Each structure stands twice: as C-alpha cells, then as structure tokens.
Amino acid sequence: MVPFAGISCCLSAAALYLLGRSSGRDVDNLKSVIRVSNLKDLAQLLDATGKVLPLVVTVSGRVGSDTPISCEYSGLRGVIVEQTAEQHFLKHNDAGSWIQDSALMLSMCKEVPWYLDDGTAHVHVVGARGASGLVLTVGSEAFEESGRSLVRGTLDYLQGLKMLGVKRIERVLPTGTPLTVVGEAVKDDVGSIRIQQPHKGPFYVSDKTIDQLIANLGKWSRIYKYASVGLAVFGIYLLTKQALKGYMDRRRYCEMRKR
C-alpha cells in the first residue's frame, strides 16, 4: 500500500522549506538596499554610483501627483483607482433550494503619473501595481438593489435566478499617503529621478517602514521553516509506521506459511 499521507507531508515540508528560504533571501535583499533619508541626496548618490551598478534604494515620502484622479463615488483624490462591480443573485440548484452567488460585471483601473515627496525633493514611482506590499484603501463600498419590475422578476425566475443587486467597490491610493518604496533608482534623459522595478532585486510599495518589512518577512521565514521541520518529522513518522506495519504483516504471513 502506497503511504500517501506520509509522502504528502514530506512534499509539503519541502515546499514550506523552499518558501522559508525564499523569504530569507528577501530579508537579505532588503537589508542590503541603500537607505536614503532625504530624497534630495538621491541625485548625488546616483551620480556617484548609478553608472557603475544598478542602485537599489529604499525611500519614504508622501504620495503626490500633478494630475490626481477625482474618485467617482468616494470623492477622494488619488493616483491609483480600482473599481469593481459584482452582480449578486440567488440561484436555484438541483436540490430545489436557493443559494447565493455573484458574478463580476466590471473591473477597471486608472493610474496617473505620481511621485513621493518628503519635503526636500520628489521622485517618480513607476510600475507600482506590480510591486509587493501595495494595499489600496477602500474608498467606497455600496450595494444597489435591483429593480422589482414584474416582467424582469418573472424572466429571472424562469431562468432559475433572483437578482439581488449590484455591489460596487472603489479602492484608491489617496494623495498624501505616507509610503515606503524599495526599488531601482534611475535618472532619465531630462534629469528626473524615478524608482522602478529592478531587473534583479526587491520591489516594494508599502505603508510599512523598511524595518517593519524586514521584521515581517523574517517572521514568516521562521514560521515556514518551523512548519517544514514539523511536517517532515510527522511525514517520516508516518512512513516509518507504514514500513514497520508492512514488515510485520509480511513476517506474520511467512510464519503462517511455515506452520
């Protein structure tokens, strides 16, 4: 009999170990980035080292933009706005009962050029939606009930549906939000500095400080490794138990044949 439980535990332990190692490498990468206290110093730092090696830095400041987006529902002004609309309904299943379900109707995102400003200078941030750690604020969440017309209700009922309404959610990165960005600093042809995703290295856009990011990744790295050891021990126990059981069964069978 194949010991599926023991093998599954050992494979899960290996996967968690790899996750722990990956998180550990991320911690080392974050510890190695250059910390820039004032954005005004970034230009001088780029002139000194940026032409030799890619300059991966961590900077902090508040979100700003020359052309912010005015949010349709929340009234906030932001630089990244995501809107989703979900149709919620009751569905008639094969058992004859009604179950609640939903379907995505709309998903759209708008982004305008934006920068970080710490009072000494500002740097543009490019490709933030592909960065780790970016969390958008829920600016507005509303539920619009469906109309109760007789014709529409009858048609939906014949199709096995009861329309409940539409849930609209608006997520936004508001202007003025304090952020920490980890990425590659580059200077374009006109001398403007931007932070972008490096070809190799960490890329974070987060409301946490660099020290909080390092501490959080370190915690998860330890959790993955401890869980890996626990699952490996349990998997080996199950495999050993199965092997001993098979050995004892074969031994009893041989003794019975001799008798």
Side-chain angles (χ1 to χ4, degrees), residues 36-47 59-60 116-123 187 193:
V36 179
S37 301
N38 296 319
L39 293 178
K40 67 178 182 179
D41 301 330
L42 194 53
Q44 185 178 357
L45 190 61
L46 267 173
D47 292 337
V59 297
S60 298
L116 286 184
D117 192 330
D118 69 347
T120 64
H122 68 261
V123 294
K187 186 183 288 187
I193 300 175

Side-chain angles (χ1 to χ4, degrees), residues 32-64:
S32 67
V33 302
I34 299 173
R35 303 192 181 200
V36 179
S37 301
N38 296 319
L39 293 178
K40 67 178 182 179
D41 301 330
L42 194 53
Q44 185 178 357
L45 190 61
L46 267 173
D47 292 337
T49 61
K51 296 180 181 179
V52 181
L53 293 171
L55 185 64
V56 180
V57 300
T58 174
V59 297
S60 298
R62 293 186 176 274
V63 174

Side-chain angles (χ1 to χ4, degrees), residues 84-142:
T84 58
E86 294 179 347
Q87 176 72 62
H88 287 251
F89 52 87
L90 295 177
K91 182 170 60 175
H92 205 231
N93 62 10
D94 296 335
S97 58
W98 294 91
I99 59 173
Q100 186 167 341
D101 201 353
S102 64
L104 184 65
M105 296 172 54
L106 171 69
S107 179
M108 59 180 296
C109 181
K110 300 177 183 177
E111 182 176 2
V112 294
W114 60 279
Y115 53 80
L116 286 184
D117 192 330
D118 69 347
T120 64
H122 68 261
V123 294
H124 291 273
V125 181
V126 179
R129 291 178 61 203
S132 302
L134 178 63
V135 178
L136 301 181
T137 303
V138 177
S140 173
E141 185 173 348

Side-chain angles (χ1 to χ4, degrees), residues 179-192:
L179 288 181
T180 297
V181 177
V182 181
E184 181 183 4
V186 296
K187 186 183 288 187
D188 59 21
D189 297 334
V190 297
S192 298

Side-chain angles (χ1 to χ4, degrees), residues 129-202:
R129 291 178 61 203
S132 302
L134 178 63
V135 178
L136 301 181
T137 303
V138 177
S140 173
E141 185 173 348
F143 187 81
E144 303 171 0
E145 292 188 3
S146 297
R148 299 294 182 180
S149 68
L150 179 61
V151 175
R152 175 65 182 273
T154 303
L155 290 174
D156 290 340
Y157 186 82
L158 291 175
Q159 294 175 354
L161 299 173
K162 288 182 180 179
M163 296 300 173
L164 300 177
V166 178
K167 184 177 183 181
R168 301 185 185 276
I169 302 176
E170 190 175 63
R171 294 179 174 88
V172 58
L173 178 59
T175 55
T177 302
L179 288 181
T180 297
V181 177
V182 181
E184 181 183 4
V186 296
K187 186 183 288 187
D188 59 21
D189 297 334
V190 297
S192 298
I193 300 175
R194 66 176 184 268
I195 308 293
Q196 62 185 19
Q197 182 172 6
H199 294 293
K200 185 178 182 181

